[in-house]
Amino acid sequence: MLRIICFFCLAGLLSLPSLAQPRKTPAPAPKTVAPARRTYCNPLNLDYGYTPIPEFAAAGRHRATADPVITRYKGDYYLFSTNQWGYWHSKDLSNWKFVSRSFLKPQHKVYDDLCAPAVFVLGDTLLVFGSTHNKDFPIWMSTNPKANEWKEAVEPFQIGAWDPAFFLDTDGKLYLYWGSSNEFPLYGQQISRKTFQPIGEAKAMFKLNDQQFGWQRFGEYLDNTFLDPFMEGAWMTKHNGKYYLQYGAPGTEFSGYADGVQVADKPLGPFTPQPHNPFAYKPGGFARGAGHGNTFQDAWNSWWHVSTMVVSVKNNFERRLGLWPAGFDAEGTLYTNTTFGDYPHYLPTGPADHLKSKFTGWMLLNYQRPVQVSSTLGGYLPNYAVDESIKTYWSAATANPGEFIQTDLGSVGTVRAIQINYADQEAGILGKKPGLYHQYKLYHSLDGKKWKVLVDKSRNRTDVPHDYVELAAPVKTRFLKLENVHMPTGKFAISGLRVFGLGSGVRPLSVQGFVVLRTEKDKRSAWLKWTPVNNAYAYNIYTGLAPDKLYNCIMVHGANEYYFKGMDKDRPYYFTIEAINENGVSTRTPVTLAK
């Protein structure tokens, strides 16, 4: 589970003065206007392929990918993820171009084409390796991946590694980390960078400890209902001489899917859990989950984290990708900033301090607002498109042109961007199919009677399952109507028609009566309660290990309580909360200590 950098130039006409005319005083130079900062919104709007595995599609064919890795190579970003039959590249973390490529060979009788791939740069070469339990996959290499030119660096690679990750240390030594199990630990091993043969024996790194760390418990409610938790998705980052071995847990199907990290002085350990864990965490909001990803640097050496987001409706492994600002604080703590993580955020344009939010401040304007539709299929009801859950969706009865959904903001607001999240209802595709595209028109109105075209994509020829449209200029309006022109497959179905900007009212008041109940019975868990704020539609709960390090954020809709079960049982935690509505956020409450 990435965006645009804007450049501009000023052009002028220069004319030579006539020799017969007196020289004129030059006109003042035009004022330089700073380019607008462009934005993106999670889930990332990529042309995700559909699951290629028939038994995974028994409850409905659907788009699916996960386990992403982004690597910079020759000035471009390359994005690989599970079972996409290819990869993407981009110059700006926004406009991604897909390159169709199967990395399977005739002897590979599997569906898993680069499942949870490892991607790394060695010298002037980009290398890729997919998950396998056997010693039967090659490591692929390319010096021109844009042109889809690949050959085997070694075949077969002599380690069967699921969820692999290569790491090239600053001393030139190469390492491999891997593991995906609820029984076995992560493993690490040195690899010859010349022959890609293993050096020495594989070494166990560490296992989960869900008795200590509440967030590692399996299940949607972190209760270890029927399985032990899984650890997977290794990734290594070196920073200031320390080695940060990252991993996903406790299960990719759940809202609490997150990335943890342990730290060592040497690449193969011994490792110690970082106090702040998980470091990538998004259990609330429209699209949840921030596990199994990788940490990388942009063109200005600022850190980012890309990871898996959860849908898990038609299959446990129905997933998307998300991108988050990340970094290391002054004490070397690795963090990921997921606050308002599925709202519009600014793209990088230069060096940045990611402890300072990249959130635009554009609020959601149509949460649970009135909806009108052209038709409804069965129980896929209209308001499921505005309930801030990617798991629910409205479906029209057909995919015909003219099917529409209309949302009322309740009052006139300033609209800055719209995200259109399509759902897979009666899709008919397995795997990656070229040539898919969505077409639609988006209208707006002040009174719901006279309509103007706001966005016209009736001639669009690209696949945009999570289309995010940042308006060139803000528009004051009240009603928006999305009208279908063409669907790539299935019915016209929307899991989220999300309108962003600023309302015309007042921000919510500060939350009152905020309490954190953490008992001796199980100090991994706490019950958080507060008095509802009348004009708030959601709340952000911030938590961390110090009053000035509240690095994790949980967005809660339509409730005035939350069961937080993600704590280290031996550490004190700090909490604060803010209320949210279409006009902004309240001031936060005083920080509360829960010992």
Side-chain angles (χ1 to χ4, degrees):
M1 269 106 88
L2 305 141
R3 306 304 146 178
I4 293 177
I5 303 167
C6 298
F7 296 89
F8 73 100
C9 63
L10 297 176
L13 297 176
L14 298 177
S15 58
L16 293 174
S18 168
L19 294 178
Q21 295 178 344
R23 191 177 184 90
K24 294 181 179 180
T25 302
K31 293 182 179 180
T32 300
V33 180
R37 296 173 68 188
R38 300 301 301 274
T39 61
Y40 75 99
C41 189
N42 290 320
L44 296 180
N45 184 33
L46 299 165
D47 50 337
Y48 301 98
Y50 291 76
T51 179
I53 306 173
E55 54 265 38
F56 283 11
R61 298 186 178 188
H62 58 274
R63 296 178 189 266
T65 196
D67 321 319
V69 56
I70 293 178
T71 299
R72 279 196 85 226
Y73 176 68
K74 293 185 176 179
D76 292 299
Y77 302 95
Y78 284 83
L79 168 58
F80 291 76
S81 64
T82 287
N83 287 342
Q84 293 302 286
W85 298 358
Y87 52 94
W88 294 270
H89 63 84
S90 171
K91 286 191 173 297
D92 54 21
L93 288 176
S94 174
N95 297 306
W96 292 92
K97 182 177 180 180
F98 186 75
V99 178
S100 179
R101 170 82 188 195
S102 175
F103 290 90
L104 295 178
K105 305 190 80 171
Q107 66 268 27
H108 299 140
K109 307 299 183 183
V110 297
Y111 291 110
D112 292 320
D113 189 335
L114 285 190
C115 182
V119 185
F120 65 109
V121 176
L122 191 61
D124 66 349
T125 305
L126 185 68
L127 297 104
V128 176
F129 176 64
S131 294
T132 177
H133 289 300
N134 304 310
K135 300 177 182 180
D136 61 350
F137 269 36
I139 297 177
W140 295 90
M141 61 184 289
S142 177
T143 56
N144 192 8
K146 279 187 182 179
N148 200 10
E149 297 174 359
W150 296 87
K151 61 182 180 181
E152 299 91 338
V154 59
E155 185 185 26
F157 182 52
Q158 290 302 302
I159 297 178
W162 205 267
D163 285 14
F166 285 91
F167 166 68
L168 182 64
D169 203 349
T170 50
D171 62 4
K173 293 180 180 179
L174 182 66
Y175 297 87
L176 174 68
Y177 303 90
W178 72 93
S180 179
S181 173
N182 65 346
E183 180 180 357
F184 301 108
L186 294 184
Y187 293 94
Q189 188 166 14
Q190 187 179 347
I191 305 294
S192 169
R193 61 176 294 171
K194 293 183 178 180
T195 66
F196 295 106
Q197 296 301 307
I199 297 174
E201 298 295 324
K203 181 180 179 182
M205 299 290 95
F206 50 81
K207 298 178 71 173
L208 296 179
N209 180 4
D210 57 304
Q211 296 300 312
Q212 177 81 26
F213 306 110
W215 71 274
Q216 294 181 359
R217 288 175 283 184
F218 190 79
E220 181 66 22
Y221 304 104
L222 300 180
D223 50 15
N224 284 341
T225 302
F226 62 96
L227 282 176
D228 292 330
F230 283 79
M231 180 169 60
E232 54 199 358
W235 180 261
M236 176 63 83
T237 301
K238 188 177 184 180
H239 177 72
N240 285 348
K242 299 286 187 180
Y243 297 86
Y244 294 75
L245 183 52
Q246 300 145 60
Y247 59 94
T252 192
E253 309 95 323
F254 307 120
S255 299
Y257 194 42
D259 276 342
V261 61
Q262 295 205 19
V263 186
D265 294 323
K266 298 178 181 180
L268 295 178
F271 286 90
T272 301
Q274 176 179 270
H276 168 59
N277 259 309
F279 78 91
Y281 191 49
K282 189 185 181 301
F286 171 70
R288 303 177 179 185
H292 193 150
N294 88 299
T295 304
F296 68 97
Q297 288 179 287
D298 64 20
W300 298 274
N301 295 322
S302 299
W303 293 97
W304 294 81
H305 192 72
V306 62
S307 56
T308 304
M309 304 190 80
V310 177
V311 181
S312 297
V313 172
K314 293 181 170 64
N315 185 267
N316 286 359
F317 303 108
E318 183 182 6
R319 297 164 293 178
R320 300 291 191 270
L321 305 183
L323 178 69
W324 331 97
F328 296 86
D329 70 13
E331 286 72 41
T333 298
L334 174 60
Y335 66 88
T336 297
N337 192 335
T338 64
T339 303
F340 285 105
D342 47 36
Y343 281 43
H345 274 59
Y346 288 115
L347 288 159
T349 56
D353 177 4
H354 285 167
L355 285 173
K356 298 177 181 177
S357 177
K358 309 298 287 184
F359 173 44
T360 58
W362 302 347
M363 310 308 297
L364 183 69
L365 302 182
N366 65 326
Y367 173 66
Q368 294 289 32
R369 294 294 187 181
V371 173
Q372 295 183 30
V373 297
S374 53
S375 66
T376 297
L377 177 69
Y380 300 101
L381 301 177
N383 268 73
Y384 286 153
V386 293
D387 69 352
E388 278 299 274
S389 173
I390 200 171
K391 291 177 176 288
T392 61
Y393 58 88
W394 161 77
S395 178
T398 75
N400 295 339
E403 293 275 23
F404 72 85
I405 179 169
Q406 175 183 319
T407 182
D408 178 358
L409 306 185
S411 61
V412 174
T414 302
V415 176
R416 303 295 300 262
I418 301 96
Q419 188 189 43
I420 301 167
N421 299 274
Y422 288 91
D424 294 316
Q425 178 59 31
E426 299 181 25
I429 298 172
L430 281 175
K432 189 79 173 183
K433 183 177 179 179
L436 301 182
Y437 60 95
H438 298 80
Q439 292 177 341
Y440 64 84
K441 287 186 177 181
L442 188 66
Y443 302 86
H444 78 97
S445 172
L446 286 169
D447 58 8
K449 299 176 182 179
K450 297 179 181 179
W451 296 89
K452 295 181 180 180
V453 175
L454 183 62
V455 178
D456 187 348
K457 289 202 173 184
S458 59
R459 297 184 179 180
N460 174 60
R461 301 295 295 186
T462 58
D463 190 15
V464 288
H466 297 278
D467 204 17
Y468 173 69
V469 181
E470 179 185 347
L471 301 180
V475 172
K476 288 188 177 296
T477 194
R478 173 171 173 175
F479 299 90
L480 290 99
K481 180 165 65 175
L482 174 67
E483 181 182 286
N484 181 52
V485 175
H486 173 80
M487 284 290 293
T489 183
K491 300 286 196 280
F492 180 51
I494 303 293
S495 65
L497 175 57
R498 309 175 73 217
V499 182
F500 295 101
L502 197 63
S504 56
V506 297
R507 296 186 304 163
L509 297 174
S510 182
V511 174
Q512 302 296 314
F514 181 55
V515 295
V516 180
L517 305 174
R518 187 184 188 189
T519 71
E520 295 296 329
K521 180 178 176 60
D522 186 351
K523 296 184 76 69
R524 298 172 298 176
S525 304
W527 184 17
L528 284 61
K529 291 180 65 66
W530 58 93
T531 302
V533 177
N534 287 336
N535 61 343
Y537 67 70
Y539 305 87
N540 275 335
I541 300 167
Y542 297 88
T543 183
L545 300 179
D548 59 345
K549 294 189 177 188
L550 305 178
Y551 291 158
N552 282 338
C553 179
I554 305 161
M555 182 178 279
V556 178
H557 287 85
N560 65 312
E561 63 179 0
Y562 185 78
Y563 290 90
F564 179 55
K565 303 172 72 174
M567 291 182 285
D568 177 343
K569 70 180 183 65
D570 292 335
R571 292 185 180 275
Y573 279 74
Y574 294 84
F575 294 86
T576 185
I577 189 171
E578 65 189 7
I580 303 166
N581 70 12
E582 63 273 15
N583 308 304
V585 299
S586 72
T587 56
R588 297 182 188 178
T589 60
V591 174
T592 296
L593 171 62
K595 293 183 178 179

